[in-house]
Amino acid sequence: WNSKERHIYIIATNDIHASIEAMPKLATIVNELEQEGEVIIVDSGDRVSGNAYVDDSQYPGVPIIELMNNIGYSVATLGNHEFDKGSKALDMMLSSATFPIVCANMEAKNGALEPLPYTTIKCHGVEFGFAGIVDTDGGGRPLGGNSAYTNYTFSPDIETAYEICEEVATKCDMVILLSHMGLDRDRELTKLTPKCAWIAGGHSHDIVNEEFNGVHISQNNKNLRYVTIADICVKGG
């Protein structure tokens, strides 16, 4: 029996909206927590749309992805704004990320890249499952112009989120849903008692940190004004 406490810090961000000026503050938080334990950094979508340097780059969106690579992000999902520049730009963002991008309710066609529905990360003996979901607010697809979604189809967000949490729960110790559905739909999902401990949300730009129907929900406004940090203590295995 090993009584030594080990800490895992999961930092959740959402709706960064290309706020590159805030990234050094996030890097400072990461560096400080890395002195105390293991750090997992996750994002719940809309990393672009807010800064011309990022959005109108030769490779739209890639500058923020490169910063996220440098900070050490572990996993992210897609937001509706990741589709703004079409499939070629999204393909470039996906291929530029050194961390997995997951989204369970998106299916690509015509050769476009398709993210995995989920990924798992093992840390201090604990297996975490991270699933991703994007909103289908725009008539069966995410919000935005029709042309952005030419090469994609989507399954309903809440129903798919429930199903993927059920699946991932059989393969890990703790399920965390990276949701870009918005707070109202996250709360609706909890009424179905999904097998996730935490919904790290985005899309509606709320500030929330609450238990709802036995599931923890967090969201951090936008532009990296705030982050949520989960401190998970592992003792004796």
Side-chain angles (χ1 to χ4, degrees):
W1 179 268
N2 183 357
S3 62
K4 182 180 179 181
E5 292 185 352
R6 293 179 171 86
H7 288 266
I8 304 166
Y9 299 99
I10 303 179
I11 304 173
T13 64
N14 62 273
D15 298 276
I16 293 173
H17 285 299
S19 297
I20 54 177
E21 69 281 0
M23 296 298 272
K25 294 181 181 178
L26 177 59
T28 299
I29 292 171
V30 172
N31 289 337
E32 289 175 351
L33 291 177
E34 284 178 339
Q35 307 308 309
E36 306 296 328
E38 296 295 322
V39 176
I40 296 171
I41 318 169
V42 304
D43 183 71
S44 295
D46 277 6
R47 292 169 285 282
V48 298
S49 183
N51 183 308
Y53 177 77
V54 172
D55 302 330
D56 297 328
S57 162
Q58 181 182 0
Y59 304 108
V62 171
I64 198 74
I65 295 293
E66 290 176 340
L67 286 173
M68 294 171 75
N69 290 341
N70 290 337
I71 287 174
Y73 268 81
S74 308
V75 58
T77 194
L78 296 173
N80 55 293
H81 282 294
E82 265 70 69
F83 297 89
D84 284 353
K85 303 283 188 176
S87 61
K88 288 185 178 180
L90 180 53
D91 281 356
M92 184 63 69
M93 285 185 270
L94 291 172
S95 60
S96 297
T98 57
F99 51 91
I101 296 177
V102 296
C103 189
N105 66 326
M106 165 191 159
E107 184 175 343
K109 53 187 180 180
N110 299 323
L113 296 182
E114 181 173 314
L116 295 171
Y118 69 91
T119 192
T120 60
I121 296 173
K122 193 168 187 177
C123 189
H124 287 324
V126 181
E127 192 86 26
F128 296 95
F130 294 93
I133 207 82
V134 68
D135 72 279
T136 49
D137 293 346
R141 56 166 177 73
L143 291 177
N146 288 331
S147 61
Y149 301 105
T150 300
N151 291 324
Y152 308 105
T153 57
F154 300 86
S155 57
D157 50 13
I158 292 178
E159 293 88 340
T160 308
Y162 176 82
E163 292 168 1
I164 196 64
C165 287
E166 292 283 306
E167 178 182 345
V168 177
T170 67
K171 303 174 182 180
C172 67
D173 302 304
M174 180 179 180
V175 179
I176 299 165
L177 178 67
L178 307 181
S179 167
H180 199 79
M181 297 192 297
L183 180 57
D184 288 346
R185 297 183 75 75
D186 289 340
R187 286 173 169 166
E188 284 295 315
L189 173 61
T190 68
K191 295 177 183 179
L192 302 176
T193 60
K195 290 182 179 176
C196 61
W198 176 17
I199 299 174
H203 189 43
S204 54
H205 301 172
D206 287 288
I207 301 176
V208 62
N209 197 0
E210 66 177 21
E211 289 288 322
F212 203 81
N213 293 320
V215 180
H216 199 87
I217 298 177
S218 68
Q219 196 178 152
N220 311 296
N221 194 243
K222 63 177 181 177
N223 300 120
L224 276 180
R225 294 190 179 105
Y226 307 98
V227 300
T228 294
I229 302 172
D231 179 0
I232 298 169
C233 180
V234 180
K235 187 175 181 180

